[in-house]
């Protein structure tokens, strides 16, 4: 362990312990959700699958509006003032429910009578989940650093949704049952987390004490803009591709993005587990810098082999996971997987800004990146289609990382020394060489070769240490 990491060892252990529950639960829940969408894709085909993912993509924006930006700013607020959570949460959730009801009252008729079929009808069904989103208390559990209930609720909810799809969705005639399954799952997760709060003695009731929640919504307003801009970065390529090339290409691109979306959500879960530690630390606290640097290096070391190795096996991966009907998605997936390690670094820079109340800077970062993303997609997608959208996304992630890192540095966080990132880079290069030179085409064997070569080289360069009677640990 380098001197840079010694002072923050306890903080990073706290974050990793929290992530052991949150990250494992999120990973398992996302894996189940991935299985559900895989089942949907196989049973519905590329065209109907394109309808589902586009409607779900639009719902991401509506869900964030129903959340009101509280998911991000609420975590540090709870971590800093735990004694006043009952009153704050009651007022905040009441306002969100009122807003969600109004939003639902607009979206449902627009979906049914204005938007083209079947896209509009599917969106209208999805909109039934907005009130459950407004009642979401994940931010409160994270602020108390009690992620177990989140993990359990998410896993159970996704299992229920999977069971509904497994038993009920057989072909394109069952299209509307997919959003119904999603709504039921969200409802279960919401209720489970509300019950979990009662077990901790937090009493929630309708409250019109707007003065209590006004400061939180004031801070969240900028985060809402930030998140909506982030979503535009996330799926503008998909929506634009749907408009330019049609439902089939949108279905292909959604399949290519599925693994990236799964990895991105695990990265976000890890980053959120670090956020309370960074939020509690004072500006002069040495642990703050160490936790920040350690978390960033660890995220990069885990994400690099996933992104780099996955890009080498994109074609067989698509074939095994989605089937031959989605083979056209493989070239786009190859480029998209390279965004995973970049996103791991960027997300930690974002958490640093959140911990130092850098919401304005985050909005600027996403605004500039959205402009770059829109221009790239408009210039490339009409000519190169799927691959053009993927390359535009990769270029955008690089721009976003640079901007977020510079903003985080200005807020007082120092990025880790490059020497600490060099070890996983060397191991990644060795993994790339081992997979390429082996000429093995069987997917499970390629994955084993890549994982073993990466772990061995990372150990040889001092990135992993082994001690008798103890589990291996990162020493980056």
């Amino acid at each position: 362990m380098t001197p840079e990491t010694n002072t923050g060892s306890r903080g990073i252990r706290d974050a990793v312990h929290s992530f052991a529950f949150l990250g494992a639960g999120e990973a398992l829940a996302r894996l189940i959700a991935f299985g559900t969408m895989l089942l949907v894709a196989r049973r519905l085909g590329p065209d109907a699958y394109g309808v589902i993912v586009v409607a779900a993509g639009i719902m991401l924006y509506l869900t964030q509006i129903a959340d009101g930006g509280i998911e991000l700013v609420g975590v540090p607020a709870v971590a800093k003032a735990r004694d006043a959570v009952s009153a704050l949460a009651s007022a905040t959730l009441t306002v969100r429910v009122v807003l969600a009801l109004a939003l639902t009252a607009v979206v449902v008729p627009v979906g049914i009578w204005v938007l083209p079929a079947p896209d509009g009808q599917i969106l209208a069904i999805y909109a039934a989940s907005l009130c459950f989103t407004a009642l979401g208390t994940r931010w409160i559990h994270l602020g108390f650093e009690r992620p177990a209930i989140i993990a359990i609720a998410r896993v159970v909810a996704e299992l229920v949704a999977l069971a509904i799809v497994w038993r009920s969705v057989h072909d394109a005639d069952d299209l509307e049952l997919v959003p119904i399954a999603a709504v039921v799952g969200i409802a279960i997760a919401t209720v489970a987390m509300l019950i979990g709060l009662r077990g901790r003695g937090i009493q929630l009731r309708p409250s019109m004490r707007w003065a209590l929640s006004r400061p939180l919504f004031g801070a969240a307003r900028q985060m809402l803009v930030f998140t909506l801009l982030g979503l535009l970065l996330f799926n503008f390529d998909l929506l634009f591709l749907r408009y330019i090339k049609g439902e089939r290409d949108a279905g292909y691109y959604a399949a290519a993005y599925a693994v990236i979306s799964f990895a991105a959500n695990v990265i976000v879960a890890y980053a959120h587990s670090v956020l309370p530690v960074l939020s509690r630390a004072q500006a002069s606290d040495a642990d703050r810098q160490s936790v920040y640097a350690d978390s960033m290096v660890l995220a990069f070391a885990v994400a690099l082999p996933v992104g780099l190795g996955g890009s080498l096996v994109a074609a067989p991966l698509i074939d095994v996971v989605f089937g031959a009907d989605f083979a056209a998605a493989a070239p786009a997936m190859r480029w998209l997987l390279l965004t995973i390690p970049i996103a791991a670094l960027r997300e930690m820079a974002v958490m640093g800004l959140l911990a130092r109340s850098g919401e304005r800077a985050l909005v600027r970062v996403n605004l500039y990146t959205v402009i770059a993303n829109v221009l790239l997609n408009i210039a490339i997608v009409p000519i190169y289609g799927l691959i053009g959208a993927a390359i535009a996304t990769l270029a955008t992630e690089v721009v976003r990382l640079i901007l977020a890192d510079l903003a985080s540095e200005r807020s007082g966080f120092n990025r880790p020394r490059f020497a600490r990132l060099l070890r996983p880079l060397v191991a990644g290069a060795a993994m790339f060489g081992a997979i390429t030179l082996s000429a093995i085409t069987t997917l499970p064997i390629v994955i084993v070769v890549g994982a073993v070569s990466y772990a061995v080289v990372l150990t040889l360069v001092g990135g992993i240490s082994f001690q008798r009677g103890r589990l291996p640990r990162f020493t980056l």
Side-chain angles (χ1 to χ4, degrees), residues 406-422:
L406 291 174
S408 184
E409 186 178 31
R410 286 193 294 270
S411 74
F413 285 100
N414 298 321
R415 70 180 67 91
R417 293 177 291 105
F418 179 73
R420 298 185 64 189
L421 299 177
L422 188 60

Side-chain angles (χ1 to χ4, degrees), residues 162-173:
L162 174 59
I164 294 173
V165 169
W166 179 272
R167 293 297 302 271
S168 305
V169 178
H170 304 290
D171 52 39
D173 292 336

Side-chain angles (χ1 to χ4, degrees), residues 67 70-78 85 88-89 92-93 96 134-144 150 193 216:
D67 171 73
I70 302 298
E71 178 74 13
L72 289 174
V73 300
V75 175
V78 172
V85 168
L88 175 64
T92 302
L93 294 179
R96 291 207 308 185
L135 282 169
T137 56
R138 182 177 184 271
W139 54 284
I140 303 175
H141 289 286
L142 281 175
F144 277 98
I150 301 174
M193 282 188 254
L216 195 58

Side-chain angles (χ1 to χ4, degrees), residues 100-127:
L101 287 171
L103 184 60
T104 304
V106 173
V107 174
V108 171
V110 168
I112 294 174
W113 292 306
V114 178
L115 296 180
D119 304 61
Q121 286 84 348
I122 297 301
L123 180 63
I125 297 172
Y126 270 122

